[in-house]
Amino acid sequence: MNAEVASVEERKQNLKGMGTARRRVEDVRFVQGKGNYVDDIKLPGMLFGDFVRSPYAHARIKSVNKEAALAVPGVKAVLTADDLKPVNLAWMPTLAGDVQMVLADGKVLFQGQEVAFVVAEDRYAASDAAELVEVDYEELPVLVDPFKAMDPGAPVLREDLDGKTEGAHGPRRHHNHIFTWEVGDKDATDRALSEAEVVAKELITYQRVHPCPLETAGCVASMDKVNGQLTLWGTFQAPHAVRTVASLISTIPEHKIRVISPDIGGGFGNKVGVYPGYICAVVASIVLGVPVKWIEDRIENLQSTAFARDYHMTGEISATRDGRITGLKCHVLADHGGFDACADPTKFPAGFFNICTGSYDIPVAHVSVDGVYTNKAPGGVAYRCSFRVTEASYFIERMIDVLARKLEMDPAELRMKNFIGKEQFPYTSALGWEYDSGDYHTAMEKALETVSYKALRDEQKANREAFARSETRSLMGVGIGFFTEIVGAGPIKNCDILGLGMFDSCEIRVHPTGSAIARLGTISQGQGHATTFAQILASEIGIPADQITVEEGDTDTAPYGLGTYGSRSTPVAGAATAMAGRKIKAKAQMIAAYLLEVHDDDVEFEVDRFVVKGAPERFKTMAEVAFAAYNNVPPGMEPGLEAVSYYDPPNMTYPFGAYICVVDIDVDTGVTDIRRFYALDDCGTRINPMIIEGQVHGGLTEALAIAMGQEISYDEMGNVKGASLMDFFLPTAVETPVWETDFTVTPSPHHPIGAKGVGESPNVGGVSAFSNAVNDAFAHLGLTHTQMPHDHWRVWKTAERLGVTA
Ligand code: CDP
């Protein structure tokens, strides 16, 4: 296209900037098998590590005999806790302020715990030798049920904490107690509940699930002893934070550590933490002087690497008889497993659970959370959600439906009646969060109208009558999930992890020929950052997105940032990108004015150029300015066109959405057919509608999985049940319904381009819509709540309990 004759509209299209459904640039290599994942990294002389893991959930280790393993050809070393002690690495700090055994030190606390690390010339030798390590265990009583964790006679799990009455988050009441965290006005909430006309109470459990990314966790550690340089490739969602933590615990200076996150096959919170495999690979590489790779298999990943949820939430919600909510109370029993390794900002041991007042104008609320140890794997990560926001969203959306039953009111009507009004934004919730913007009534009205909600309810009435007359064995359910997320952690004043403020960054270099590279502190795990961040910049600085390379994940080149999780990339790094772009534009404006021989204020930016005000035929394109930046800048100005922005957001962003699910349940088999799923998302300004749609499809599929089948469960001996893809539900195209997507646009007032995050919204909002639909199908039979996951067996059991099976 000839830029000189192109119209403003054509030039805009040429940029492929914000709002364009630009195709994903990263897919060119993914669809041709040219991705570069950590397991693709092969270095000369590289060894492989594999773990010996505990078959017991709770046992004392009396001895470890390595002899037979060391005799296997190709085996180079077998590390145990005793080998790590001299370098002070037998234990490591967790993100939650606890400590965790790297290799079992005297006892094991969960099935699958890492006991020894075998290093060999290839994976097979390492794996064979791991089987030959003889560990003498003495079984101890097992604690699986979190409700029994604080019984007086409960077994002592953490002997290392013996006598410690203070934890990272205040006093501990019991040897298996981690913390109590409280927020809100307890007295006022108790008063609201005791004076209320109607109170609904329910225990709502969000079961233990697992992010289960297609690519499991792994790393390659390579210690160059001559130069004292450690290079660590890994599946890290926060490479800079990993480098800092690695430096602090290894005492290798930070500038001598290079952390690289190559392509990542899905993270979903699973790859935020630091795992024993990383530490063992680094130690092995230091000891043996060659690179060491560790890649876990699927069962190891599901069994031991970062579970999510396991929240048991007892809620009470009060209202007037005509449905005006007056108060909300919640106590959470949080099962954190054997070590508190939750990924939460330092000041929030229960993450952002206190967003649990949801989208409603609730005058008073109180939340308390007790974290406890059990004989289960550690984790508590944000599985495609912003630090416990999905637990909060599920809780409030179920409580609203439970209240609606009690009031005998339509759940949509109850929601509309209690939504925070558009005019109330910025809105401060009873638990202290300032919601930036929202228009809930419009979103809900659009959703209800699109699915013909009233007609659905009429159809359901007819279905129930037909069911009563035994004319059908199928029950219809309609579930609404209206969510408000809190994403974009976050303002440094609120959010840090291990003392690292949660800002993010972007550095831009514009090259002389008018193309550019942008480097960010975040890291894509499939979200399409290389596509969308270039679009933000294209609109900001007028260089076509196709001429902008986006690079993330290499700590030697990218500016420091806190990484990608909690849908924070767009709210924080996206903002940094726009701000760095504006710095480029400000300098470019001065250069353009100089070239055009006018005052800086006499030129204005127009799509891809600076135009003299009132004389549109006089302009300098961004490409011309870029070249001039390297040979003809105003006197006194430095040459070059580069900028960096470290962005500390003034607030979080609060995307929201209205989801409606329609199901048909066969009561004799429990088979639940998802007839329809409509998802309206509002993520503020939309950067790439196609990528947003893809994110929503993916998130809804995960929500379907969680609501309808995923669970990491344990038997009474602490054996993990179903930690393989034979049993752990990962939906395929067969189980996945057609997703109908829609949107409204309510920009964030504080974000430079008005964008909010979206990646996690469908997971956060979807789960309650599915669950509410299943519960709704049985509501007329007296059901108020049945626990997830709603797999066929459980749904059938519910039908049986209600006496409607054949
Ligand atoms: O932090 P993460 O990348 O997981 O989540 P996100 O910030 O919600 O972004 C997910 C993807 O959706 C990115 O490629 C974003 O650029 C894109 N997105 C968008 O196009 N418009 C928005 N308003 C929000 C996200």
Side-chain angles (χ1 to χ4, degrees):
M1 182 169 49
N2 179 353
E4 303 314 314
V5 293
S7 68
V8 168
E9 207 37 56
E10 283 168 329
R11 286 192 277 122
K12 259 193 197 153
Q13 278 176 17
N14 186 40
L15 289 182
K16 297 191 190 156
M18 292 213 303
T20 311
R22 181 180 184 225
R23 288 202 174 180
R24 286 165 45 104
V25 292
E26 41 277 269
D27 288 350
V28 174
R29 68 174 191 282
F30 292 149
V31 297
Q32 297 184 65
K34 298 287 183 199
N36 181 36
Y37 297 91
V38 67
D39 206 18
D40 293 321
I41 291 160
K42 296 180 174 68
L43 303 176
M46 188 171 74
L47 302 176
F48 297 78
D50 198 6
F51 278 114
V52 176
R53 292 179 180 273
S54 170
Y56 297 107
H58 195 196
R60 204 166 296 292
I61 294 181
K62 290 162 73 184
S63 64
V64 181
N65 185 344
K66 313 174 181 179
E67 263 173 51
L70 283 169
V72 172
V75 170
K76 301 290 180 191
V78 178
L79 301 178
T80 62
D82 286 344
D83 300 308
L84 299 180
K85 280 182 188 164
V87 282
N88 219 7
L89 286 175
W91 292 69
M92 64 180 183
T94 70
L95 293 179
D98 196 1
V99 286
Q100 176 179 347
M101 292 177 212
V102 174
L103 290 171
D105 185 13
K107 72 188 292 199
V108 286
L109 287 167
F110 62 93
Q111 188 182 56
Q113 188 176 333
E114 301 81 359
V115 175
F117 190 65
V118 179
V119 188
E121 281 170 3
D122 61 57
R123 274 192 91 127
Y124 307 100
S127 179
D128 288 348
E131 306 243 317
L132 298 177
V133 174
E134 290 164 24
V135 186
D136 191 7
Y137 296 98
E138 178 194 320
E139 285 185 67
L140 295 169
V142 174
L143 174 64
V144 171
D145 183 351
F147 287 92
K148 295 186 178 149
M150 291 203 277
D151 283 356
V156 179
L157 304 194
R158 293 290 299 274
E159 287 163 11
D160 60 302
L161 300 178
D162 193 25
K164 274 199 171 177
T165 51
E166 280 289 315
H169 303 289
R172 300 169 65 223
R173 296 201 305 276
H174 182 278
H175 51 258
N176 294 326
H177 185 227
I178 308 173
F179 64 83
T180 298
W181 184 58
E182 262 189 280
V183 60
D185 189 334
K186 184 170 184 306
D187 293 343
T189 308
D190 285 341
R191 216 164 31 246
L193 291 172
S194 66
E195 290 168 2
E197 291 169 5
V198 181
V199 178
K201 185 170 180 180
E202 196 62 66
L203 166 64
I204 298 192
T205 287
Y206 199 139
Q207 77 275 18
R208 179 175 275 238
V209 292
H210 194 281
C212 194
L214 285 187
E215 180 202 30
T216 58
C219 71
V220 175
S222 180
M223 185 73 203
D224 170 353
K225 287 200 186 175
V226 175
N227 296 305
Q229 171 88 32
L230 172 69
T231 307
L232 188 59
W233 291 261
T235 48
F236 308 130
Q237 289 182 234
H240 286 92
V242 167
R243 186 185 65 182
T244 301
V245 172
S247 174
L248 290 173
I249 62 181
S250 70
T251 68
I252 300 171
E254 200 164 355
H255 71 288
K256 290 283 188 186
I257 301 177
R258 180 178 184 188
V259 174
I260 302 171
S261 292
D263 286 328
I264 297 182
F268 312 118
N270 194 232
K271 294 164 179 172
V272 172
V274 171
Y275 300 119
Y278 304 159
I279 310 266
C280 289
V282 170
V283 171
S285 179
I286 293 173
V287 171
L288 299 165
V290 286
V292 175
K293 179 185 276 188
W294 165 72
I295 307 277
E296 63 183 0
D297 68 23
R298 175 62 56 200
I299 291 176
E300 291 179 294
N301 179 254
L302 283 170
Q303 228 179 24
S304 62
T305 303
F307 78 93
R309 329 302 193 219
D310 219 339
Y311 256 32
H312 307 268
M313 309 168 282
T314 305
E316 285 175 86
I317 188 164
S318 60
T320 57
R321 217 173 299 283
D322 66 352
R324 182 75 226 164
I325 300 171
T326 56
L328 178 74
K329 190 171 178 177
C330 181
H331 177 262
V332 181
L333 185 64
D335 184 342
H336 286 208
F339 305 97
D340 185 15
C342 289
D344 288 318
T346 311
K347 297 184 189 108
F348 301 99
F352 301 152
F353 184 79
N354 54 352
I355 191 79
C356 70
T357 50
S359 315
Y360 310 101
D361 186 14
I362 301 179
V364 287
H366 179 254
V367 166
S368 56
V369 183
D370 278 302
V372 294
Y373 292 119
T374 58
N375 288 123
K376 300 180 191 167
V381 297
Y383 169 9
R384 205 170 186 154
C385 88
S386 205
F387 310 119
R388 305 288 187 185
V389 73
T390 183
E391 286 92 327
S393 175
Y394 180 60
F395 166 74
I396 184 66
E397 286 306 286
R398 278 276 53 238
M399 286 307 292
I400 292 284
D401 266 29
V402 169
L403 177 64
R405 299 278 169 267
K406 190 141 196 180
L407 291 166
E408 293 180 353
M409 189 181 243
D410 184 279
E413 187 191 337
L414 181 60
R415 285 178 170 85
M416 290 291 268
K417 194 160 201 159
N418 288 283
F419 277 150
I420 300 160
K422 186 180 172 184
E423 67 294 342
Q424 288 176 276
F425 291 92
Y427 171 85
T428 303
S429 75
L431 295 174
W433 293 107
E434 189 188 294
Y435 293 30
D436 58 349
S437 63
D439 184 356
Y440 301 161
H441 289 95
T442 301
M444 188 67 156
E445 276 159 14
K446 191 173 183 191
L448 296 177
E449 202 180 299
T450 311
V451 301
S452 307
Y453 183 73
K454 181 158 180 328
L456 285 174
R457 288 295 179 199
D458 290 345
E459 185 189 342
Q460 185 182 47
K461 189 163 173 283
N463 163 258
R464 287 173 175 175
E465 286 162 6
F467 188 85
R469 292 193 300 270
S470 302
E471 288 165 14
T472 175
R473 301 297 297 147
S474 174
L475 283 175
M476 174 182 168
V478 182
I480 299 172
F482 195 101
F483 67 92
T484 297
E485 260 232 271
I486 168 171
V487 305
I492 295 177
K493 64 178 188 297
N494 290 332
C495 293
D496 70 277
I497 285 193
L498 292 177
L500 300 167
M502 295 184 74
F503 62 89
D504 229 292
S505 58
C506 175
E507 180 203 275
I508 304 166
R509 280 184 204 172
V510 179
H511 309 311
T513 52
S515 63
I517 183 164
R519 294 191 170 107
L520 291 96
T522 42
I523 173 72
S524 183
Q525 304 122 42
Q527 298 93 326
H529 291 178
T531 307
T532 51
F533 287 128
Q535 291 183 255
I536 296 177
L537 263 188
S539 293
E540 287 291 338
I541 64 176
I543 292 178
D546 290 343
Q547 291 177 30
I548 301 171
T549 298
V550 172
E551 209 182 83
E552 301 172 301
D554 184 340
T555 55
D556 263 12
T557 56
Y560 203 103
L562 266 284
T564 292
Y565 38 86
S567 284
R568 66 186 298 279
S569 302
T570 302
V572 195
T577 305
M579 297 309 275
R582 286 172 196 182
K583 289 183 189 175
I584 295 273
K585 200 156 71 179
K587 183 171 180 182
Q589 178 161 352
M590 288 191 266
I591 298 172
Y594 174 68
L595 298 176
L596 291 162
E597 297 178 347
V598 295
H599 190 270
D600 297 351
D601 294 340
D602 291 334
V603 293
E604 59 190 353
F605 188 68
E606 187 205 87
V607 185
D608 58 356
R609 62 193 54 192
F610 291 94
V611 179
V612 176
K613 288 179 186 166
E617 70 289 354
R618 296 193 61 213
F619 62 84
K620 287 288 169 192
T621 64
M622 200 63 190
E624 290 170 313
V625 172
F627 197 79
Y630 291 87
N631 74 356
N632 190 14
V633 294
M637 180 187 271
E638 285 181 14
L641 199 50
E642 298 187 9
V644 61
S645 167
Y646 287 82
Y647 189 79
D648 177 15
N651 191 4
M652 313 265 185
T653 67
Y654 294 75
F656 59 94
Y659 292 178
I660 299 177
C661 175
V662 185
V663 298
D664 296 296
I665 297 177
D666 179 334
V667 294
D668 295 321
T669 61
V671 171
T672 304
D673 178 43
I674 314 290
R675 188 202 303 181
R676 185 167 189 190
F677 198 104
Y678 167 88
L680 178 149
D681 273 278
D682 191 319
C683 58
T685 306
R686 290 152 56 86
I687 301 161
N688 184 326
M690 183 199 67
I691 287 204
I692 292 173
E693 197 177 6
Q695 293 286 305
V696 174
H697 283 196
L700 288 178
T701 306
E702 283 181 326
L704 164 81
I706 293 168
M708 308 309 282
Q710 281 188 353
E711 184 175 27
I712 297 286
S713 62
Y714 294 79
D715 68 14
E716 70 283 359
M717 293 170 73
N719 293 308
V720 188
K721 296 196 283 183
S724 84
L725 295 186
M726 293 289 284
D727 301 286
F728 191 74
F729 178 40
L730 210 59
T732 65
V734 175
E735 296 91 1
T736 307
V738 171
W739 308 117
E740 287 172 60
T741 58
D742 203 348
F743 65 96
T744 52
V745 177
T746 312
S748 166
H750 63 78
H751 189 282
I753 57 168
K756 303 179 179 185
V758 78
E760 305 180 331
S761 298
N763 188 321
V764 169
V767 174
S768 51
F770 286 111
S771 186
N772 282 347
V774 172
N775 278 285
D776 181 69
F778 296 108
H780 63 298
L781 302 170
L783 182 76
T784 49
H785 177 70
T786 182
Q787 305 288 5
M788 291 193 296
H790 305 300
D791 54 27
H792 302 339
W793 165 251
R794 281 190 180 82
V795 171
W796 180 79
K797 287 298 280 181
T798 300
E800 189 195 36
R801 207 170 58 241
L802 295 169
V804 292
T805 45

